[in-house]
Amino acid sequence: MLLVVCRDKGTAEWAAEPIRIGLDKHPSLVVFPLVLGPHNVPMVMEAARAAEDIPMAVFSAITHSNDHDIAAILEALAEALRATDADAAAVFAEFTEAGLGASPAREIRRNLMGTGLSHFRGFVAESFRDEGRVEGRLEGRAEDILRILEVRGVAVPEEARERISSCTDLAVLDVWFERAVTAPTAGTVIDDG
């Protein structure tokens, strides 16, 4: 089953179209996605209702993240999660966070988690700490690469400096770090080929 979760009706309608694989007149496979969007997922704004069906409450928060009532939806979900098993609540909280993406609702949720919802404070705080830890490691590794090249007297053009500094893949930075020790040019360090 292919499940598609959308935050706007237009995308949901587009995603609901059957996916045909094969020849135009003779498809060998047709997939009919199950699409959840703001047009077919109810707004769950009461904690009791959210507690009855937490997965639906999570989908409600994600699909209605652009709705003006999102704060009430998120409050109902938080209240329901507070009353459920901590491990399950952490999974649903993480799924909600990922589903909200970079929407304004994500910031509302983060603010909500930080004001009086001590049940999740550890999970959310740990999430933020982990994000900060990863960002710090990325930044530190990029600085190490640039410092090695500087100490070795290897010129680093602005384009290469920007690419190294903005890389968000620690595994790639580790490869570049090893290359920086012996590479004759900065281009050799970041060469993908």
Side-chain angles (χ1 to χ4, degrees):
M1 175 179 289
L2 173 60
L3 174 65
V4 180
V5 181
C6 301
R7 290 186 288 223
D8 67 271
K9 185 177 179 184
T11 303
E13 289 172 346
W14 168 82
E17 292 294 319
I19 302 167
R20 290 175 170 72
I21 299 171
L23 302 173
D24 286 340
K25 293 185 181 197
H26 187 71
S28 58
L29 177 66
V30 179
V31 177
F32 295 89
L34 171 59
V35 179
L36 301 180
H39 65 292
N40 65 357
V41 173
M43 289 197 294
V44 179
M45 298 190 297
E46 304 82 28
R49 188 169 168 209
E52 289 173 6
D53 191 348
I54 291 176
M56 181 57 72
V58 169
F59 286 127
S60 178
I62 294 169
T63 58
H64 293 284
S65 62
N66 295 322
D67 193 280
H68 65 280
D69 289 325
I70 188 59
I73 295 169
L74 290 169
E75 286 173 16
L77 175 60
E79 185 69 27
L81 291 177
R82 208 178 305 156
T84 193
D85 170 73
D87 291 336
V91 170
F92 287 122
E94 185 173 345
F95 188 77
T96 303
E97 178 86 7
L100 293 176
S103 71
R106 185 176 193 185
E107 194 60 35
I108 292 169
R109 180 187 173 280
R110 286 182 173 179
N111 290 336
L112 184 64
M113 293 296 118
T115 56
L117 296 175
S118 59
H119 182 74
F120 297 105
R121 200 169 278 140
F123 170 74
V124 173
E126 175 128 353
S127 173
F128 290 145
R129 274 196 304 273
D130 287 347
E131 285 178 22
R133 219 176 288 140
V134 169
E135 287 174 17
R137 290 183 65 201
L138 291 168
E139 185 178 308
R141 182 54 62 152
E143 289 172 0
D144 291 344
I145 293 166
L146 295 171
R147 180 73 177 136
I148 287 171
L149 293 172
E150 178 186 330
V151 168
R152 292 188 53 238
V154 177
V156 182
E158 189 55 38
E159 182 179 309
R161 181 177 303 280
E162 176 60 32
R163 185 160 175 215
I164 292 167
S165 297
S166 65
C167 182
T168 58
D169 187 332
L170 193 55
V172 170
L173 286 171
D174 285 341
V175 170
W176 291 352
F177 177 81
E178 291 174 10
R179 289 180 186 169
V181 175
T182 59
T185 67
T188 308
V189 172
I190 60 176
D191 182 28
D192 296 329

